[in-house]
Amino acid sequence: MALRHLSPSPLNITATLMDLSPDGMGLTIRKTPLLPRLGAGDHLMLIQTRPRAFSFLSNTELEIKWSLSHSALDHMAIGCEFIAPPRDVRLRLRSLIASWPL
């Protein structure tokens, strides 16, 4: 997934989707020297998604609710909540999740 950090100096970030719910998603991000400090309250915009089944989530805004970063790890984890997704996005997301085998 490609994200844009919505700050005074927007920066694109590549993340890996770890979990998904109707309300948000969990992501991991490789730490680099250019990675801005990410924390609760920061806003991100999904700008590109893979696989294609998730493309309807492009241009959806997220708010970081929690972050976990330890100096001994190469990646950080963040938990994000969708911010006011359009009704059709919410319906497609619920339908996609409901289609997954338990």
Side-chain angles (χ1 to χ4, degrees), residues 84-100:
R87 185 174 189 277
D88 64 318
V89 169
R90 287 192 317 258
L91 293 173
R92 289 183 70 181
L93 183 57
R94 289 181 194 280
S95 177
L96 177 67
I97 293 170
S99 73
W100 295 339

Side-chain angles (χ1 to χ4, degrees), residues 59-96:
N59 299 314
T60 300
E61 191 172 349
L62 302 164
E63 180 179 346
I64 298 175
K65 292 300 187 177
W66 59 265
S67 64
L68 176 64
S69 181
H70 189 279
S71 61
L73 301 175
D74 292 337
H75 287 76
M76 69 177 300
I78 58 173
C80 301
E81 181 178 47
F82 295 117
I83 298 177
R87 185 174 189 277
D88 64 318
V89 169
R90 287 192 317 258
L91 293 173
R92 289 183 70 181
L93 183 57
R94 289 181 194 280
S95 177
L96 177 67

Side-chain angles (χ1 to χ4, degrees), residues 13-92:
I13 301 166
T14 300
T16 300
L17 179 67
M18 300 303 290
D19 62 67
L20 182 66
S21 78
D23 298 318
M25 58 177 53
L27 304 165
T28 60
I29 301 169
R30 183 168 184 80
K31 292 191 253 181
T32 68
L34 296 178
L35 184 68
R37 182 175 168 91
L38 300 173
D42 286 356
H43 286 216
L44 305 169
M45 178 72 69
L46 280 167
I47 56 174
Q48 184 180 29
T49 60
R50 289 190 189 112
R52 182 172 262 187
F54 296 109
S55 64
F56 67 93
L57 290 171
S58 291
N59 299 314
T60 300
E61 191 172 349
L62 302 164
E63 180 179 346
I64 298 175
K65 292 300 187 177
W66 59 265
S67 64
L68 176 64
S69 181
H70 189 279
S71 61
L73 301 175
D74 292 337
H75 287 76
M76 69 177 300
I78 58 173
C80 301
E81 181 178 47
F82 295 117
I83 298 177
R87 185 174 189 277
D88 64 318
V89 169
R90 287 192 317 258
L91 293 173
R92 289 183 70 181

